[in-house]
Amino acid sequence: MNTINFDIDADGIATLTIDVPGQSMNVIGPDFLADLDTAIARIASEEGVKGAVIASGKDSGFMAGMDLKYFGSMLASAGDRPSPAAIFDKLFVLNALFRRLETSGKPIACAIEGTCVGGGFELALACHRRFVGDSPKTQLGLPEILIGLFPGGGGSQRLPRIMGVQAALMYMLQGKLFRPAEAAMLKVVDGVVPQGTAVEAAKAWVKANPTAGTQPWDVKGYKVPGGAGGFNPAFVQTMVGALPMTLKQTQRNMNAPIALLSAVYEGITLPMDRAIQIESKYFARVAADPQASNMIRTLFVNKQAAERGARRPKDQPKAPTTKLAMLGAGMMGAGIATVAAQAGMEVMLFDRDLAYAEKGKAHVEEVLKKRLGKGMTPEKLAATLARVTPTTDYAALAGADFVIEAVFEDVAIKAEVTRQVEAVLGADTIFGSNTSTLPITRLAQAWSKPENFIGVHFFSPVEKMPLVEIILGEQTGPAAIAKALDFVSQIRKTPIVVHDSRGFYTSRSFGTYVQEGAELVGEGVNPALIENAGKQLGMPTGPLAVSDEVSIELGVKIMTAAQKELGDAYVRQGSDDIMVKMVGADRLGRKNGKGWYDYPEGGKKHLAPVLGEMFPRAATQPDVEAVKERLLYRQLIECARCFAEGVLETPEDGDIGAIFGWGFAPYTGGPFSHMDTVGIAHVVAVLDRLAAAHGPRFAPTQQLRDMAASGATFYRPLPAKAAA
């Protein structure tokens, strides 16, 4: 066996040590499935084997889930658009193996040290006892829902039978993970032991319980904790409440949560052999839909590839940051200082006024205090805070090996700060700008070596938002790219790499969502309809609400700066006048308590009644599908333009950036995955129709037309890239 070491001790206890070669974490692939089949056969058939312990041979943890590359290839082998029936047998292999394990007739205990999630946790659930080391970093659970799937290795059937239907659904529907103590409290594990002793504890249990090779649900008279079945009031209440709550949270866009509810509802009162077939039936339906493969590709495979340096220049040596010069101590600068200090870097937090710099450090402390008891100790907090030094003296930046600038969005102000820093550090130091809209190539003119100047665009709040957009100016060199990507890796965020343009990729594309919302208001569409359509589309919030959050006034300032910069080349949008009218009425957004919404002190925000006076309602209102279509396709065409213009090099960056940058509907896998899925020809047809009705902002690119004609897609391009 290549992935499992099978050893039998003097007591007849077999230890199955999982160590999948070539993987940093154990995952389930074809070799492991074959080896587990062999190991189960030995456990069941060899008289000398009295029981077994399953453990990991890796320091990284026990086991993650399915190798998703293998999972993707398995689906591909069933055809381009496989039917559920075509993939059921492929998917049921894992379920059948775990069932054979728990019915082998021998006691099986699982020794968990470190991460145990997905299929790895389902393997643990199929064991008769579970012992886990008490490391506070250990996480256990079933997070599959977060990537468009649900537990398909028996987890949807075993977890409710262990902890009760209501509690199990809460964890599975949210993809929520357990810490060891929490898992023990909920009886998901049977013992929490000192880290490093789980194998010893598991062996002791097997030795002391030679006849305990039967699961509770295989014993006559077993009852699900809390009850189950159509005649159980608690179960009925749980299921009746779970469905509408799930539909509301997912806006009916997600396949996996509804399939999970169906699998639990139908399977919970059946014998386990039938229950796991029910689970695999629904899992096959979910897996057969492109939604799952799109989400897996973007939210897992491509995200991991980005974090592992897919866009990093291969010929550049590692360049970790040890001392960061953080210019600007406002919300963004303080947030960047926080994550950098947490990553172990020394941070010089510079601002023009010491009070501002100290306020920035106070923000760092405030964020860290909120993490006390969640992996943060008072000692760690003090050490992290000590790494942040407020200053107003450029000379104090000496020795910094990376600079990030987050000062006021003005070219002249940024240029002055840039020159002052170069006088101290020299132009060989890599300089990053956190600008969200100003072209990097222009800002780089203030640095003597523009090849060492790069855009490093964070999202607010920095501590929570996972994405960093790396922007290449016309002369940005490989050393700067490597330095920026290594910094992003140090702070454990996800990078995308794009080329220079006004607004880059994320701000430019996200802005169209807000702009189209304003256009609709200007046309007399009911603001409530617009907001609801945005949420039903799968966006985190409506376009008017998000406009208030980022500030209507800021949008107008960015628009005015672009008009000044571009002159006659600036293309006016209908939304420009709408936003100017809002600012003229002193409706600036949440920051002054009135924008598209009113924000009464101590009360709940609500759409402003005055909007009906400022923008009279049209006599005929569009249906919600028409509004959703406009909000969606206005974003899609801007993303496609970014690709055609070379702002984006890959659809992978486009999809990752959209979902993690501005919250583009995650169930689609991102704008490029969505366009591929519905068909490029369909996208072009819809855009042509919208352009005819609403103007050239919807006009398809020539590249889209060429792709539609040739049959190319973003993820399966033809050999020669079509011209933009």
Side-chain angles (χ1 to χ4, degrees), residues 574-603:
S575 59
D576 291 356
D577 293 336
I578 306 298
M579 306 291 264
V580 168
K581 186 173 182 178
M582 289 290 286
V583 171
D586 196 34
R587 304 198 70 84
L588 311 182
R590 178 184 278 275
K591 72 177 193 176
N592 79 327
K594 51 184 181 178
W596 300 109
Y597 286 76
D598 282 333
Y599 300 85
E601 191 171 343

Side-chain angles (χ1 to χ4, degrees), residues 364-511:
V364 177
E365 183 175 14
E366 181 182 347
V367 170
L368 296 177
K369 281 182 175 178
K370 289 178 181 177
R371 295 194 61 237
L372 283 170
K374 302 174 183 177
M376 176 65 66
T377 64
E379 294 76 20
K380 276 187 184 178
L381 189 154
T384 303
L385 201 59
R387 289 193 281 269
V388 180
T389 304
T391 184
T392 59
D393 185 2
Y394 283 104
L397 307 180
D401 55 316
F402 189 38
V403 182
I404 297 180
E405 164 272 307
V407 301
F408 188 71
E409 286 284 273
D410 180 275
V411 173
I413 293 173
K414 288 181 183 290
E416 174 60 23
V417 170
T418 302
R419 285 189 285 266
Q420 293 276 10
V421 171
E422 183 178 326
V424 175
L425 296 179
D428 288 331
T429 304
I430 306 299
F431 189 105
S433 175
N434 179 56
T435 180
S436 59
T437 57
L438 300 175
I440 293 300
T441 301
R442 180 169 182 188
L443 296 180
Q445 294 173 2
W447 197 252
S448 298
K449 292 186 176 181
E451 65 269 27
N452 290 336
F453 197 101
I454 193 165
V456 187
H457 177 209
F458 286 82
F459 298 78
S460 182
V462 174
E463 300 87 358
K464 294 182 179 179
M465 294 296 283
L467 188 77
V468 180
E469 184 178 29
I470 304 298
I471 306 108
L472 312 184
E474 290 178 4
Q475 298 182 60
T476 300
I481 301 171
K483 183 72 173 179
L485 287 174
D486 287 349
F487 175 79
V488 174
S489 177
Q490 284 178 271
I491 61 174
R492 297 185 178 183
K493 293 193 180 290
T494 305
I496 62 169
V497 179
V498 306
H499 289 271
D500 202 9
S501 81
R502 182 168 289 275
F504 319 126
Y505 168 60
T506 56
S507 295
R508 171 178 165 180
S509 299
F510 161 68

Side-chain angles (χ1 to χ4, degrees), residues 633-634 637 682-692 698-700 704:
Y633 276 81
R634 185 62 187 92
I637 183 54
H682 174 77
V683 171
V684 170
V686 173
L687 288 170
D688 277 335
R689 172 168 51 80
L690 291 173
F698 285 103
L704 279 175

Side-chain angles (χ1 to χ4, degrees), residues 129 251 556 650:
R129 287 293 187 277
Q251 294 292 330
V556 170
T650 70

Side-chain angles (χ1 to χ4, degrees), residues 64 91 154 164 185 188 279 296 409 476 520 524 598 619 662 702 716:
L91 295 170
M185 181 182 69
V188 174
E279 178 190 81
I296 290 168
E409 286 284 273
T476 300
L520 286 158
D598 282 333
W662 74 87
Q702 185 58 47
R716 292 182 183 175

Side-chain angles (χ1 to χ4, degrees), residues 625-638:
E625 293 302 321
V627 178
K628 285 167 63 178
E629 183 179 68
R630 283 179 60 177
L631 293 174
L632 171 62
Y633 276 81
R634 185 62 187 92
Q635 295 176 79
L636 293 182
I637 183 54
E638 202 64 33

Side-chain angles (χ1 to χ4, degrees), residues 208-242:
N209 296 274
T211 61
T214 305
Q215 292 282 32
W217 42 85
D218 289 324
V219 176
K220 187 176 181 180
Y222 163 79
K223 292 183 179 180
V224 175
F231 294 102
N232 182 280
F235 176 77
V236 171
Q237 186 176 4
T238 293
M239 299 307 297
V240 167

